[in-house]
């Protein structure tokens, strides 16, 4: 997903630099892809929250028995990677909002 959204952002930026006139279908496609990326971001948020919940759960259980600390450390590594990936998606989608605004400015002029 990271590669896909990066390539798509570069494509839209390149079209904006050329002051490309978008058709109605292309504007709808851009809005549709933004919605797809929003959905992806929501799913990753939910997964990140679940990993955070289970990480906390195993941390608390680790106070009862040290055996629970093994899954805790495994989950905390996964959680860190999920947080990094989620923030990348969040920032990319917000950047796509700005690009969409630029595309709409070009379409209005």
């Amino acid at each position: 997903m990271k590669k896909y959204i990066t390539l798509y952002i570069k494509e839209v930026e390149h079209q904006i630099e050329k002051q490309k006139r978008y058709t109605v279908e292309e504007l709808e496609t851009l809005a549709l892809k933004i919605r797809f990326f929003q959905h992806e971001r929501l799913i990753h948020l939910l997964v990140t929250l679940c990993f955070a919940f289970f990480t906390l759960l195993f941390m608390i259980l680790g106070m009862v028995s040290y055996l629970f600390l093994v899954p805790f450390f495994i989950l905390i590594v996964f959680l860190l990677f999920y947080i990094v990936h989620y923030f990348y998606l969040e920032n990319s989608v917000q950047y796509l909002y700005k690009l969409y605004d630029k595309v709409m400015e070009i379409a209005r002029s």
Side-chain angles (χ1 to χ4, degrees), residues 6-23:
T6 303
L7 290 174
Y8 188 70
I9 286 173
K10 286 180 183 179
E11 177 185 328
V12 172
E13 286 174 337
H14 180 67
Q15 291 173 348
I16 288 173
E17 286 175 8
K18 294 188 328 184
Q19 294 288 319
K20 180 185 183 301
R21 295 281 181 191
Y22 280 81
T23 63

Side-chain angles (χ1 to χ4, degrees), residues 10-98:
K10 286 180 183 179
E11 177 185 328
V12 172
E13 286 174 337
H14 180 67
Q15 291 173 348
I16 288 173
E17 286 175 8
K18 294 188 328 184
Q19 294 288 319
K20 180 185 183 301
R21 295 281 181 191
Y22 280 81
T23 63
V24 173
E25 290 174 355
E26 290 172 328
L27 288 172
E28 289 174 358
T29 301
L30 178 60
L32 179 67
K33 288 206 180 209
I34 289 173
R35 283 195 297 271
F36 286 155
F37 292 134
Q38 287 173 330
H39 182 265
E40 184 78 18
R41 181 181 65 179
L42 175 65
I43 297 302
H44 278 279
L45 174 64
L46 295 174
V47 170
T48 303
L49 290 174
C50 286
F51 265 88
F53 172 74
F54 284 114
T55 302
L56 288 173
L57 179 69
F58 278 103
M59 183 182 73
I60 292 168
L61 290 173
M63 293 177 191
V64 175
S65 172
Y66 291 116
L67 291 175
F68 289 110
L69 290 178
V70 174
F72 165 73
F73 287 116
I74 293 170
L75 285 173
I76 203 154
V77 170
F78 279 106
L79 180 62
L80 292 173
F81 282 110
Y82 267 110
I83 289 171
V84 169
H85 185 67
Y86 173 75
F87 275 106
Y88 178 79
L89 285 174
E90 177 72 28
N91 292 333
S92 296
V93 170
Q94 288 183 12
Y95 184 64
L96 276 171
Y97 295 157
K98 293 176 185 177

